[in-house]
Amino acid sequence: MLIHPEEILETIKMVSNENLDIRTVTMGINLRGCSHPDLDTFNENVYNRIMYYAKDLVKTTNEIQNLYGIPIINKRISVTPISIVAESCEATDLSSVAQTLDRAAEDVGVDFIGGFSALVQKGMTPGDLKLINSIPRALASTRKVCSSVNVATTRAGINMDAVSLMGRVIKETAEMTRDSSGIGCAKLVVFANAPDDNPFMAGAFHGIGEPDCVINVGVSGPGVVNSAVRALKDPTLGDISECIKKTSFKITRMGEMVGREVARRLHAQFGVLDLSLAPTPAIGDSVAAILEAMGLESCGTHGTTAALALLNDAVKKGGAMASSSVGGLSGAFIPVSEDEGMIRAVQRGSLTLDKLEAMTSVCSVGLDMIAVPGDTPASTISAIIADEMAIGMINKKTTAVRVIPAPGTKVGDMVEFGGLLGTAPVMPVHRFSSETFISRGGRIPAPIQSLTN
């Protein structure tokens, strides 16, 4: 890839002044060869496989960071969904597998490891149930493990039995991590149409169609896009779109350069570049700030969904022109706790849970890092999940829910998670019950697109 001197200078400016970074280099590792009926043997196999592939991951990414002068914020690992590779285990509690993943992540020095996961969009096997029931203990007893459960796809419909179960699992996870404001739920996400190559946590896992070992990269540049949009002089919306496309192009080229070099040095395949705009709590590094730069007085007001649609489309178009390996999610994230502009919008009353749900129909993922009162019923959480799964299923896109019923909190409280997870204002939920709807169970059928294969 030919990099011109002007691009290097531009990148230096983006890094030093506009919070540009590589959000994550994520190594995906296939664990299917680790299966064994004996849990201790299985855990040993998993640990050894991760150590074999990832032992030099952190050292190599640090070398690349120093070589190019581009910050690489997180080094992560994703593995084959554990419910699949642990199906033959005779143990009923799989939390020790999560502890093995945590120990491996600690020993290789990565920030997070994802893949304590299950894919249950059409039904749950005994292995899936074992894993899902183990999630609260797993997340309460580990620091770096992330968990995800895919409960819906456009072709399979929505598994409402799994949706109902996940509401209870989220509540239990919050209670088991009560001393840290329910932080276990910040490492747990429920998906529709989960991608196999997502490098971002908490939803990363190593999909079935992936190679044995792969490097996926997630870049992030909301601060850069915000700065570029604000520099325009009285632009039209078309001008804003063009500006975002050009900026995304530059960000994507940088990310691919880093990802391919990391993969080459680690003798792994280069997978995808996910160019999702992932905000941080830093001032200006905010998706909400970009929407407000387009002319909205406050994120969440009328017009926000249209502005987010423009942003998401332009990001994808710009990235697609810069790389033939764009994948994962690739759009704009709207995690409330991780975006200082979103937090401010919630506090001033312009951004509500209902508006966030509407925005998820056009953004990269879904309802992300949202704190709700600790006494929110499990059925209400399940209903929030069901609504979001329906958006993903009908629109043939990835949607997700990462919600934290923070124990002991009420609307208006602030919940501190620290680091990239930020601070979440506790948002209100509807007081009317969804209990009867959720308790019916069964499956919401897939839309008619399921007959086109």
Side-chain angles (χ1 to χ4, degrees), residues 6 31 67 107 299 306 324 330 451:
E6 293 83 0
L31 297 184
L67 175 65
D107 289 349
C299 179
S324 59
S330 292
L451 302 181

Side-chain angles (χ1 to χ4, degrees), residues 227-236 239-240 243:
S227 178
V229 171
R230 290 183 185 276
L232 299 174
K233 304 300 182 184
D234 195 25
T236 67
D239 295 334
I240 292 173
C243 172

Side-chain angles (χ1 to χ4, degrees), residues 245-263:
K245 281 163 52 180
K246 291 175 182 177
T247 306
S248 297
F249 179 89
K250 297 168 188 173
I251 295 170
T252 303
R253 281 171 65 83
M254 177 204 69
E256 178 147 340
M257 176 181 69
V258 168
R260 288 192 180 278
E261 183 61 18
V262 171

